[in-house]
Amino acid sequence: MVLEIINKPEDLRKLTYSELEVLAGEIRNLLITVVMNNGGHLASNLGIVELTIALHRVFDFSVDSLIFDVGHQSYAHKIISGRKDLFSTLRQKNGISGFPNPNESVYDLFIAGHSSTSISSATGLALGKKIASDDSSTVAVVGDGSLGGGMCFEAMNHAGGVGANLLVVLNDNDMAISKTVGAFSKHLEEFRSKENTTKLRKDLKDALSKLPIIGESMDWFYEKLLGALKNHTGAAAVFEAMGFRYFGPFDGHSIEELEEELKSLSKLTGPRILHVLTEKGKGFTPACKDPESFHSSAPFTLDNEGGVIRLNCTCSDNTKSYSKVFSETLFDLAEKNDKVVAITAAMSGGTGMAKFAESFQNRFFDVGMAESHAIPFAAGLAKKGFVPVVAIYSTFLQRSYDQIFHDAALQEKLPVIFALDRAGLVGEDGPTHHGVFDIAYMRHLPNLVLMAPADADDMRLLFEFASKLSSPSAIRYPKGNVCSFMPEGYEHKPVALGKGEILKEGMDATVFAYGRMVAPVYAAASRLSAEHGIEIEVVNARFAKPLDDDLLIAAAGKGVIFTVEDHVLSGGFGSAVGEFLLDKTGGDIELRRIGIRDEFVLPASLSEQDEEYGLSEERLYQRFLDEFESLK
């Protein structure tokens, strides 16, 4: 195996092109094997193998700077840059991250898990190098989906204006997480369609180089012709208007062609952009056919016919995921109310909007990787009498904080519904993807109503309730499947603004559980009752804002109050309860807050993370029991 002799990037430079092709295949096999076992971002990494090899052959990124946008396309980079033997630990507890991480390697400069940031960081590096008289290269690799994000245009406008010495590699696979959308994507489509122009350019250069005597001195003439060719096609207009010299498009799976162009570009200065065309999922048929599903894949196996068997069920009874329940709920709301519209930021599949998009095409909007734009866009729809449901992962909605404040909450009576998918702990993706900050960054904003369901039926009730509000609201719900935990036949109480739901009576203490935490709290409290006769009242809080004043005041008179949430303790649901009770009682309360410590959560399985932070049924049971033992 060629891969066996690759222990550092310089080892690549010893290989022939035929050996490099073998290496690319071996890297893909390793990617598939590890992701089958561990889960991870597969399709994007399969598509960038040759480009990664070419970059490392041309540049020395122990000295030069390489920044991956988003970072989920960095697996081959990790393998090449000395982490091959650790790659089997990908996304595991105490293993290597699924994203670049400076704590792992000098070849990783930034932790990167959100889109459209790389050109900004690279511009800062390039200008910093200029001040420090550092002539090393700076390279940013950005996808076509990310390039549609506003930060990329802001960064390119700046970099082009100041002439930053920066190479941007545009990895164009016509996909973000979902299919790339928008006017810029359509412009790139024109680039992709000019295959004959690209071939003409290559044939022209080859012909000029073969001319007797003068061939090697014809580069200047080639550059002039190339400039005329680009002006003729108009392909470079957008980039060159922003101060970037454009080169491409080139075959992103030809190591030899990529290496040749990268060597040429490494000798130039100023802002340049190299446009390469790649196939998302290359080398693995299921990922090529369905790159969206294999963007971020749970562990899987293959049947005898090569079909994919998903191994992502977190419940023994194989119940629906929260995203699936949201999908059905949104569809039902839209059928009943023709004012309901849906908005996603390049994640129609991941957020469960595919069914809605197919059935209500004129009421569905994919704004691309532009979360900041999505919020005022929704506000505009709300202003015209619609009920926009904006489904964005909790961690990505952080990118819209100012818009939530300025364009939704401040406007007072705009019924925008934020559907916060993947709220709370999400397992192996690590600190860039845990949705553990949304309560804190939203609850201090006036006019916002914050909710979280205990299970699937509760989720349907909360969305129905939100659709009738005249103010903006947010409903957070976790990654994974919904597990039923209440006795058969139980029906949730109707939703009333700011009112919780008592699920289990008890006079020894009260636990206010929020969202996903209701199920393990209920189970732990039921065990304490059966095994020790300790009767804890369990409240499905439902609301983090407004709080249930009556239930909280009543609980303060009983004894110890617990709050449980899969969110950081700082500024979270428990903080809200503590602030309220402090104001009402002057501090004469026994409050115990259970949640996530003031730290970024590292990759591990969800069950391991629940154990770490005391959120599992067993840890909650022991915490409650220890509390009562200490009071004896």
Side-chain angles (χ1 to χ4, degrees):
M1 288 181 62
V2 178
L3 184 56
E4 289 179 354
I5 64 172
I6 304 299
N7 298 305
K8 51 189 182 300
E10 47 264 44
D11 293 336
L12 295 172
R13 301 178 193 123
K14 304 171 186 175
L15 303 180
T16 65
Y17 286 116
S18 60
E19 289 172 326
L20 290 171
E21 292 299 326
V22 174
L23 175 64
E26 292 174 353
I27 290 175
R28 284 194 170 91
N29 288 337
L30 179 57
L31 294 177
I32 295 167
T33 299
V34 171
V35 174
M36 283 180 70
N37 291 328
N38 299 5
H41 292 85
L42 185 57
S44 55
N45 283 289
L46 291 172
I48 199 173
V49 174
E50 288 87 359
L51 175 57
T52 304
I53 291 171
L55 283 166
H56 276 285
R57 276 174 59 90
V58 173
F59 297 96
D60 176 4
F61 290 117
S62 66
V63 177
D64 299 320
S65 303
L66 174 63
I67 304 175
F68 284 98
D69 201 88
V70 182
H72 62 234
Q73 55 186 330
S74 63
Y75 290 6
H77 162 74
K78 286 175 180 275
I79 293 168
I80 289 168
S81 60
R83 286 164 279 182
K84 175 186 63 179
D85 294 338
L86 295 172
F87 195 67
S88 62
T89 70
L90 180 75
R91 293 163 34 94
Q92 303 298 292
K93 186 175 183 179
N94 300 320
I96 63 172
S97 170
F99 299 89
N101 187 341
N103 293 322
E104 289 179 9
S105 172
V106 296
Y107 292 96
D108 294 358
L109 294 181
F110 293 95
I111 295 174
H114 293 181
S115 74
S116 309
T117 65
S118 63
I119 303 178
S120 296
S121 300
T123 301
L125 276 172
L127 294 182
K129 290 178 181 182
K130 181 179 180 181
I131 296 170
S133 299
D134 177 352
D135 61 358
S136 65
S137 297
T138 303
V139 181
V141 179
V142 60
D144 55 299
S146 293
L147 199 62
M151 279 185 65
C152 280
F153 285 97
E154 293 172 22
M156 291 182 70
N157 183 55
H158 181 206
V162 298
N165 187 20
L166 167 66
L167 171 61
V168 174
V169 179
L170 171 57
N171 175 28
D172 181 3
N173 57 29
D174 197 20
M175 292 286 293
I177 294 172
S178 300
K179 178 78 172 177
T180 309
V181 299
F184 189 71
S185 173
K186 292 178 181 178
H187 189 67
L188 287 181
E189 184 62 42
E190 294 179 11
F191 289 44
R192 300 181 197 109
S193 66
K194 297 183 185 299
E195 295 178 2
N196 57 335
T197 301
T198 303
K199 186 176 184 301
L200 173 62
R201 177 181 50 226
K202 188 176 186 307
D203 291 345
L204 176 63
K205 187 171 185 178
D206 289 345
L208 287 172
S209 67
K210 293 175 182 177
L211 288 176
I213 305 175
I214 64 171
E216 293 183 1
S217 65
M218 294 293 285
D219 281 352
W220 65 272
F221 181 60
Y222 167 71
E223 289 293 333
K224 293 291 186 182
L225 284 176
L226 178 57
L229 183 62
K230 287 191 292 187
N231 289 334
H232 174 71
T233 63
V238 172
F239 300 113
E240 299 203 354
M242 300 183 78
F244 277 73
R245 296 176 67 184
Y246 169 82
F247 301 86
F250 295 101
D251 180 0
H253 299 299
S254 170
I255 297 173
E256 185 172 4
E257 182 176 342
L258 289 170
E259 185 174 347
E260 179 184 357
E261 296 304 322
L262 286 168
K263 282 181 178 177
S264 297
L265 290 174
S266 69
K267 299 173 185 176
L268 302 179
T269 58
R272 305 90 83 197
I273 188 161
L274 174 65
H275 184 185
V276 303
L277 305 181
T278 61
E279 179 185 13
K280 196 169 185 178
K282 183 175 176 62
F284 185 53
T285 301
C288 289
K289 291 182 176 178
D290 189 7
E292 185 170 354
S293 293
F294 281 94
H295 170 77
S296 179
S297 175
F300 64 93
T301 187
L302 301 175
D303 60 26
N304 293 333
E305 284 75 39
V308 174
I309 303 173
R310 298 286 183 182
L311 305 175
N312 63 347
C313 178
T314 58
C315 290
S316 59
D317 58 355
N318 197 24
T319 51
K320 296 175 182 177
S321 70
Y322 272 96
S323 296
K324 177 66 172 176
V325 175
F326 166 73
S327 174
E328 295 172 349
T329 301
L330 179 63
F331 187 87
D332 291 343
L333 288 175
E335 281 197 317
K336 298 173 187 174
N337 182 354
D338 61 7
K339 294 298 183 181
V340 171
V341 296
I343 300 168
T344 184
M347 300 191 74
S348 58
T351 56
M353 286 190 164
K355 182 179 179 181
F356 185 102
E358 183 178 344
S359 301
F360 305 102
Q361 295 182 18
N362 66 329
R363 291 154 63 186
F364 171 75
F365 305 95
D366 185 344
V367 300
M369 286 191 183
E371 294 88 353
S372 297
H373 160 63
I375 308 317
F377 171 66
L381 286 165
K383 200 73 171 179
K384 288 300 295 180
F386 292 94
V387 181
V389 180
V390 186
I392 297 177
Y393 289 5
S394 169
T395 185
F396 298 144
L397 191 64
Q398 293 164 184
R399 299 159 64 85
S400 306
Y401 172 76
D402 184 63
Q403 289 75 25
I404 296 169
F405 150 67
H406 183 270
D407 301 296
L410 183 62
Q411 310 305 324
E412 296 190 10
K413 294 185 178 180
L414 296 182
V416 178
I417 302 173
F418 301 103
L420 278 67
D421 201 340
R422 271 64 164 180
L425 297 167
V426 297
E428 296 85 354
D429 275 338
T432 59
H433 279 56
H434 293 299
V436 296
F437 303 106
D438 52 85
I439 303 172
Y441 73 70
M442 298 184 84
R443 77 173 179 87
H444 59 263
L445 295 175
N447 302 320
L448 263 177
V449 175
L450 305 185
M451 296 170 273
D455 59 20
D457 291 336
D458 203 25
M459 187 175 185
R460 296 184 183 99
L461 291 172
L462 291 182
F463 271 100
E464 179 73 30
F465 174 79
S467 70
K468 297 174 182 177
L469 288 174
S470 60
S471 61
S473 60
I475 301 174
R476 76 185 314 256
Y477 49 95
K479 179 181 181 180
N481 289 1
V482 185
C483 297
S484 300
F485 65 93
M486 292 299 293
E488 187 175 350
Y490 177 83
E491 292 187 6
H492 287 282
K493 294 178 176 60
V495 179
L497 182 64
K499 294 299 178 183
E501 175 189 30
I502 298 175
L503 301 180
K504 181 183 178 300
E505 301 280 354
M507 293 301 295
D508 293 324
T510 307
V511 184
F512 288 83
Y514 195 57
R516 181 174 75 91
M517 292 295 97
V518 177
V521 164
Y522 183 87
S526 298
R527 283 180 59 190
L528 284 171
S529 177
E531 297 173 13
H532 299 278
I534 298 172
E535 300 297 340
I536 297 179
E537 183 166 281
V538 177
V539 178
N540 169 21
R542 277 183 166 168
F543 291 85
K545 183 179 183 180
L547 295 170
D548 193 324
D549 300 8
D550 295 334
L551 279 182
L552 285 169
I553 292 172
K558 293 181 183 180
V560 178
I561 297 175
F562 293 89
T563 62
V564 186
E565 60 192 304
D566 61 340
H567 185 278
V568 292
L569 290 170
S570 179
F573 171 68
S575 288
V577 169
E579 292 162 10
F580 171 81
L581 291 174
L582 180 62
D583 289 342
K584 293 297 182 181
T585 68
D588 187 20
I589 53 171
E590 292 285 339
L591 176 64
R592 311 286 187 267
R593 296 181 303 137
I594 302 174
I596 297 167
R597 298 184 294 269
D598 186 22
E599 62 190 30
F600 291 111
V601 182
L602 298 177
S605 68
L606 181 57
S607 60
E608 288 171 329
Q609 289 164 349
D610 280 346
E611 283 292 310
E612 172 71 20
Y613 293 101
L615 301 176
S616 66
E617 176 189 332
E618 185 60 37
R619 288 293 304 277
L620 289 167
Y621 168 84
Q622 196 60 50
R623 174 70 184 274
F624 298 152
L625 183 58
D626 290 347
E627 186 73 32
F628 282 96
E629 290 291 334
S630 69
L631 296 176
K632 288 182 179 179

